[in-house]
Structures are given as C-alpha cells and as structure tokens.
Amino acid sequence: NKLLQTKKEIEKYSVNDKQVVLCISVDVSKDYEQVENVLKQAQEKLGPVDLLVNCAGTSVTGKFEDIEVNSFERLMAVNYLGSVYPSRAVISTMKERRMGRIVFVSSQAGQLGLFGYTAYSPTKFALRGLAEALQMEVKPYNIYVTVAYPPDTDTPGFAEESKTKPLETKLISETSSVCQAEQVARVIVKDAIQGNFNSSVGSDGYMLSILTSGMSPVTSITEGLQQVRFAKAKAS
C-alpha cells in the first residue's frame, strides 16, 4: 500500500505521459538472485538504470552488551548487503554503456563511532569502504559513486530508533538539529548528478566530511585544498 501511494504521488510530477513509474516490492538483503531478477524486470520495462540510490536501512540503538546478537547480523544484512546486491545487479550494464551513477546512503554515524550505535555504525562504515573501492574500479567506465552522510533526519525510522536510544545517545543527538527528508534528498541527488564522491548536509556535515576524509576520492581542487588545510590544523 505504501508503494502504491508513493507511486501515485510521484506520478503527479510527470511532465508527459511517456514517463512511467514502476514499483516492485523485494527484500534487498536476503537473496541476491531475487534482487537481480527484479531489477532485470524493471529494466525490461523502463530501460537501463542511470542512477541507483541504495537507501534501504534500519537501526538498533543500545549499549553493546544489551543488543541482541541477531540484531548485528540483521543490520549488516539490510544496511550493507542491501546495498551490495542491487549495485552488483546493475554494474555490468553500466559498464557496457560506460555511464551511470551509484549512491550509497551512509550516515554521519558512518564517519565516526557514536555511543549507542555499536550495531549501526559499523554497517555504515562498511558502505564507505565499499564506495571507495568501487569508485576506483568503475571510474574508467565513466561511472561515478556517491556516498551520502546525512545527519539525523525526520523519518519514521528515526522516530522508531529514538524510542530505545540510551540517554547518552540522546544527549549527543540533541547537539544538532533534525533535518527534513526533502532537504536531505535534494542534496544527495544534486551531488550524485554532479559526480561528487562525498555528500553532506549543512556546514556541520561538510566540516565532518573534511575532517574524516582520509583517503576518500577528491572531486574538486577546492575540496582537496581544504582537506590539506584541516589535516595540517589537526597535526599542529
């Protein structure tokens, strides 16, 4: 029902009757062959994928010893493999066409570990490692990877997560404001279209991306100079 409602909402923005919106329900975290088959069906009806946005994700918060062991497995399956499988299913076609964009939605909790996120943060860190390695492989084919690090965002998932946050985690979260989903989505799409590797929201998010850039690909001279500048500042 949610997919059908979303489909109708998107269709309101169609500029002509040639634009088609297709929704298919599939668990992206369990069976790679099923994910591959579903994407094949979609491409047969809509054409090849130009932009893939991997945004399936879930969160469990709590102290390390209080989190059920199967929660660690489930979050890794959804948050990490749920991005690996769709990407794996479209990459060959993108290479053949020598064009494409792949987006991984990580989190600011994928840039630095936070109290209460021992199950969640590692899965989002894993997306960064995947994105960095994959960008090296696909850049010669004119394919660009973007990894997004959104802050706390006003979504049903965030509301659910907040119910079980430890006090310490809540206090850390309260140091920054909650962003609206529409704002975050606009930034991610813009950065993906421009071919930016890192996508962050607001000045705080941008500073965090610079400070935790490590060996991430640099997509502009300005970004590279700022990374050098802040690296010197940290060293001193």
Side-chain angles (χ1 to χ4, degrees):
N1 289 334
K2 288 182 179 179
L3 280 174
L4 292 174
Q5 290 172 11
T6 304
K7 179 176 182 289
K8 290 179 180 177
E9 184 176 344
I10 293 173
E11 286 173 336
K12 294 177 183 177
Y13 297 92
S14 296
V15 296
N16 58 57
D17 57 7
K18 293 183 179 180
Q19 290 184 318
V20 179
V21 181
L22 176 67
C23 63
I24 303 174
S25 178
V26 63
D27 186 339
V28 294
S29 68
K30 288 186 178 180
D31 186 340
Y32 170 70
E33 289 186 0
Q34 187 178 13
V35 174
E36 186 180 39
N37 289 335
V38 162
L39 280 167
K40 281 183 179 178
Q41 293 175 30
Q43 291 183 90
E44 286 171 0
K45 295 181 179 180
L46 303 177
V49 175
D50 292 315
L51 171 63
L52 173 69
V53 181
N54 294 293
C55 58
T58 187
S59 176
V60 173
T61 56
K63 294 182 179 179
F64 181 67
E65 67 273 21
D66 295 333
I67 299 174
E68 296 291 337
V69 172
N70 61 5
S71 292
F72 291 88
E73 298 171 353
R74 181 168 63 89
L75 263 63
M76 187 58 76
V78 175
N79 296 354
Y80 179 65
L81 294 179
S83 293
V84 170
Y85 292 166
S87 301
R88 180 67 176 76
V90 304
I91 198 69
S92 294
T93 304
M94 285 186 174
K95 279 187 171 183
E96 290 171 5
R97 299 173 67 222
R98 301 188 75 85
M99 63 178 294
R101 298 284 191 273
I102 297 178
V103 177
F104 297 104
V105 180
S106 180
S107 164
Q108 287 187 348
Q111 294 174 291
L112 73 167
L114 294 172
F115 189 106
Y117 283 118
T118 53
Y120 178 73
S121 280
T123 66
K124 294 299 185 175
F125 268 92
L127 288 178
R128 172 176 175 164
L130 171 63
E132 290 184 359
L134 183 60
Q135 180 64 94
M136 289 184 183
E137 293 186 17
V138 300
K139 191 172 182 180
Y141 297 90
N142 194 38
I143 300 169
Y144 290 89
V145 175
T146 297
V147 56
Y149 301 108
D152 286 342
T153 305
D154 187 11
T155 64
F158 176 71
E160 188 65 26
E161 168 195 314
S162 298
K163 294 178 181 178
T164 58
K165 277 183 179 177
L167 175 60
E168 294 90 341
T169 311
K170 288 182 178 179
L171 293 173
I172 293 171
S173 296
E174 289 171 0
T175 60
S176 60
S177 59
V178 177
C179 289
Q180 295 302 305
E182 293 82 0
Q183 176 192 5
V184 173
R186 287 193 192 98
V187 171
I188 292 174
V189 171
K190 178 183 177 183
D191 285 329
I193 291 174
Q194 292 180 346
N196 295 334
F197 181 78
N198 289 312
S199 178
S200 56
V201 179
S203 57
D204 289 350
Y206 181 73
M207 287 295 297
L208 185 59
S209 290
I210 293 296
L211 292 170
T212 60
S213 58
M215 295 297 291
S216 293
V218 176
T219 50
S220 72
I221 295 175
T222 302
E223 184 181 355
L225 290 173
Q226 288 176 331
Q227 288 182 10
V228 171
R229 175 188 172 191
F230 283 106
K232 288 181 177 179
K234 286 190 289 183
S236 61

